[in-house]
Structures are given as structure tokens and as C-alpha cells.
Amino acid sequence: MLAPDFWPTVGVNVGLIAVYAVIGAVLMYIGWFAIDLTTPGDLRGLVREGRPNAVVVSAAGLVSMALIVVTAIYISGGGFLAGILNTSIYGLVGILAQVLAVRGLEAVARLDVDGCLHDDRFTADSAVIGAMHVALGLVVAVAII
């Protein structure tokens, strides 16, 4: 036998899942555009052309953004409005921190990001740039906690 509050609880939780999914998707879109805008060249175009390094860097960037967004949702606690605000604010600040940190690390490492992304062959630079994205995404995600 189901508890009397089973269906109302399920309804509220399904609604929360839907709201957080939408906020998470919006933050991921913002993160993707932030990566695209701050990366030399037309990252989206290079991915569409099938440039392997652009694909590696983009995929790593998306994974790093997902780590930040998931952490922002995870710590969102509190009531509904507080949770939405926490997720949105920490997600946006985390995305900004991620983009700036990756661009800074690329500059310090003196990598030719533009040349790497345009190369038709896989290069080790894209693996390093991708690792920077994921590593800094983890750092930013833990900083949110």
C-alpha cells in the first residue's frame, strides 16, 4: 500500500526535476557559447567540419561545464526559490571562472590553440587543452561546494 502522500510527493519531485533540467540545459548552452566565444576561431564550425582537435576540446569543455552545473544543482539546497537562485548564480559564476581559468592556463602554457583546432590531424595539444578543461572544471566545481 502506498503512503497517502506518495503521489503528491512524486508530482512535486517530477516538477523539480523538470525545472532543474531546464536550468541545467540553459546553463550548459551558456557554457557552450562561452567556450565558443572565447576560443580562437569558429569552434562550432570546426566541429561541424569534423576537425578532431576541435571535437576533443569541445567535448572536454562540455564535460567541464556539466561538472560545474551538476555541482551547482547539487548544493542548491533550501527552498524552491533559493535552490533555483543558487543553481543559477553558482552555475553562471562557475562557467565564467572556468572559461577565464582555461584561457589563462592556455596562455601560460603557450599553446597554439587556434592552430591546434584547425589541424586536420589529432594533436597532443588538444589532449592537453581538453585535460585543462576537465581539471579546471573539477576545481571550479569543488570551489562551489
Side-chain angles (χ1 to χ4, degrees), residues 1 3 14 19 32 45 51 54 75 78 89 99 101 103 126 130 133 145:
M1 179 142 198
V14 167
V19 169
W32 165 254
R51 306 285 175 133
I75 62 99
I89 292 166
V99 169
R103 295 300 157 247
S126 69
H133 274 282
I145 298 172

Side-chain angles (χ1 to χ4, degrees), residues 32-138:
W32 165 254
F33 287 116
I35 293 168
D36 189 23
L37 288 172
T38 61
T39 302
D42 177 19
L43 189 58
R44 284 180 286 169
L46 294 170
V47 168
R48 279 192 298 271
E49 291 174 13
R51 306 285 175 133
N53 300 310
V55 170
V56 167
V57 169
S58 297
L62 287 171
V63 168
S64 72
M65 293 300 164
L67 291 168
I68 293 165
V69 171
V70 166
T71 303
I73 291 170
Y74 180 74
I75 62 99
S76 65
F80 178 72
L81 182 59
I84 299 301
L85 288 172
N86 283 339
T87 298
S88 300
I89 292 166
Y90 292 137
L92 289 171
V93 171
I95 288 167
L96 178 63
Q98 166 70 8
V99 169
L100 294 175
V102 168
R103 295 300 157 247
L105 193 53
E106 287 170 351
V108 168
R110 296 186 180 165
L111 297 173
D112 178 13
V113 178
D114 191 39
C116 166
L117 295 176
H118 283 87
D119 202 319
D120 289 329
R121 296 171 297 124
F122 172 77
T123 65
D125 283 0
S126 69
V128 172
I129 296 165
M132 286 179 189
H133 274 282
V134 174
L136 288 167
L138 284 167

